[in-house]
Amino acid sequence: MKILFLQPNLGAWSTFGRHCAPNIGQAQLAGLVRKKHPQYLLKALDCRALGYDDKTMLSEIEKFNPDIVHIGDILHTTGGAAVVYRYNEAAKLVKEKFPKVTIVASGLVYASAPKEILGRNPQIDYCIMGEQDYTFLELIEALEQAKDVSKVAGLSFRKDGRIVLTNYRPLISDLDELPLPAYDLFPMDKYVGHTYWKGYVETWNSRGCPAGCSFCYEWSQFDTRSTADLKFFRARSAKLVADELELLADKFGMKVVCMMDDCFNVSRRRMEEFLEEAKKRNFAQKINWMFLGRAPYYLRDLDLIKEFRSAGCVMALVGIEVATDEELQELGKGITVEQVKETVAKLRENKVASILTWMMGFENDDEYRIKKRYEAIDEIDPDICALQYLTPMPGAPIWPKYVERGWVKFDDLKTWDFHHPVVPTKHLSREQIGNLGAWAIREFYSKPGRIERVLYSKDYHPLAKLCFRDFMQNVNRFEKASKHEELYV
Amino acid sequence: MSNLMQRPIHITAEDLLQSVQFKKGDFGKIALISGQPQRAQVCLNCLKNPVKNFTFLGYTFWTGEYKGKKITVGNGGFYAPDSAFTTEMLCAGGVEVIIRLGSCGALSSEINIGDFILADKIIRGEGTTSYYVDESFMPKVDERLTERLAKFFSQEAKVFKGGVWTTDALLRETKEVVNSFIQKGAIAVDMVTSPLVTVANLYQRKVAVVSVVSDNLITGELGFNRIEFFDSQEKLVDLAFRFLENELL
């Protein structure tokens, strides 16, 4: 059995400059397959990292002659749902040239909208619903042994002209049972983050988020037949996370890791253990890292923030999305503006640069609300702000309402990268939202004093300053995306 | 009582300094003066034990130590009127050498955003200096200081030496106006240099002007938010302090 994990030549988010990391979802799948079936031949073809165009991609696939080609991504930061468009297009080329190859898709959108995907994309043979790991493993076993795939839970495929969904597959309870990702299959020396971070990698060591906000795009990782999967938080143990980082540093020479877990700091105990491991293994000297967390947890762990830098953490992300307590309550975020403000201040006090994510395009948003929201973001004063437009995803609790109103339609997803407004609000057109987004991001990155504070900081790690530099240099790209002029993914 | 003013002058630099409780010796002999407060803040970060001298109408000055010598830094104004009165306050307060760390627009397609301009000729195009000097007055930077700055900066940066024209009217830089000043020898334009140098000349202080290019009137480039501009701004301050250390202190 020969399995190819395909990453076509994608771009990246408009604000990320040159940015590519190993496809962590594929690396995890490959690790699992290899553990169970070391005799299988596995290959990762990362055309994005290698700069291969579609022609070269096809010729590389021809050389390997795979039985199965896997497509899909688990991280929204690769380019939101817009990556699905690129995967589908690549799959079309693969199927045209190699009709016998079985194409399996999993990850964002494929997991939550298999009917829409399979209905529109005859080139894709199987869509994995929900969590991909064991479904993928069992599918390839079934295919190899010519067994009935309908016995594989968490799968969808075409049968007799109909799209069939197999049984729901429950989530993995213990992520520690998964092996380390097969990083060795990937061109690790080619990865770069935020244009300047050489030796960059993204890890994914916990799944789910206790908040499970109704608008969150992460719902699109899960099977819609369960309504609570995103909220089921599971995490690999701190020691295994540290083992992975150590491997990345020692074996692959990686220098910067972004822990892409939806919320890395859910458990104080796990955070304590990880910081301890990180210090013991001297990460600050060999591999720096950043993570995404929730404000109440940062504040719960104020004493731990003091240890971040000595453990190698140079940046930390916190989300607010909106900027009044009333709006936060409406969205069910379970946080307050004050908590976010204090988190940013405490991170700065401890020489850790902050990234704040926020959004616009919620159903009640009008110009006044958005401008007030920007004022609040400006006052919170993070070092970097990342703005995303509300993009209802299939599987998210808000999706049916948007479909019912006719505000959203499942299309080719080409612009669904969260940097293009794809839905209107009650008061604003997509164009108006885009103009406000472009205005806000320009305001943020041209504020006198902020630029000097970060760029010339003697406190922040150089990696944090390089990240700020990259965001600042790409403000104009965000503006162009916002106004639907350009595609960058 | 007459409605006409009886006193010879409403307020002098000395009066102002007194009103902010300035004492003789509070300033250093050398001052590095920026237009933008944030650039002044970057200078402030280079000083050891800085103390605030005063804030007047939003213009703030600090004096601290650099390599054992007293140096004054501050935001001396964005435009001609504020640049004139802050320079007067500096001069009246005992500053002997003023180096402006500014920003400017380039008047040549050869000059890029982030390059440095050393003013060796000052071209008056603003209205403020007419209250200080007559029309024939030609403000002059200190030649030796300018030469040494140019030599020092050239070691690590792209430097252009030439005329700097000061205007009052950002949105009236028409091709007719701009080209006439280019023909008079201007390679850059700003809104500060002419009054700053004029007042320093009147007080017989040494003065020099080094600026980072923020935009280009010939190519139309706007670099106010470009990373090259901010990189050069950081370099400007760094080189200025190293210049003090190597050449003046």
Side-chain angles (χ1 to χ4, degrees), chain A residues 247-284:
Chain A
L247 174 90
L248 286 164
D250 293 347
K251 188 170 174 191
F252 299 106
M254 295 292 104
K255 300 286 183 203
V256 200
V257 177
C258 183
M259 317 254 221
M260 285 296 186
D261 311 31
D262 289 335
C263 188
F264 187 75
N265 63 352
V266 171
S267 154
R268 177 181 167 93
R269 191 168 150 208
R270 180 168 174 264
M271 198 71 187
E272 279 174 334
E273 286 171 1
F274 178 73
L275 290 171
E276 199 52 44
E277 290 287 341
K279 284 189 286 183
K280 202 163 73 188
R281 301 175 198 218
N282 206 17
F283 283 171

Side-chain angles (χ1 to χ4, degrees), chain A residues 418-464:
Chain A
F418 314 153
H419 289 195
H420 292 75
V422 294
V423 288
T425 75
K426 285 178 185 166
H427 311 285
L428 298 168
S429 67
R430 289 161 51 201
E431 188 188 355
Q432 287 169 316
I433 298 167
N435 286 338
L436 284 164
W439 167 83
I441 212 80
R442 172 68 60 188
E443 279 290 310
F444 185 87
Y445 288 103
S446 58
K447 183 172 182 173
R450 174 174 291 133
I451 301 165
E452 287 87 350
R453 183 189 78 215
V454 184
L455 273 186
Y456 309 160
S457 169
K458 290 185 171 68
D459 291 336
Y460 289 152
H461 192 283
L463 289 167

Side-chain angles (χ1 to χ4, degrees), chain A residues 193-194 196-197 255-257 288-290 309 312-317 347-348 350-355 382-385 445 450-451 453-473, chain B residues 227:
Chain A
H194 297 291
Y196 300 103
W197 294 355
K255 300 286 183 203
V256 200
V257 177
N288 289 113
W289 50 279
M290 61 163 293
R309 283 298 296 270
C313 175
V314 295
M315 298 176 75
L317 182 145
L347 288 169
R348 183 168 301 143
N350 288 284
K351 303 178 181 182
V352 177
S354 55
I355 305 180
D383 298 309
I384 293 172
C385 88
Y445 288 103
R450 174 174 291 133
I451 301 165
R453 183 189 78 215
V454 184
L455 273 186
Y456 309 160
S457 169
K458 290 185 171 68
D459 291 336
Y460 289 152
H461 192 283
L463 289 167
K465 295 196 276 184
L466 288 170
C467 184
F468 178 86
R469 173 180 291 263
D470 194 46
F471 267 85
M472 202 176 142
Q473 285 176 310
Chain B
I227 207 85

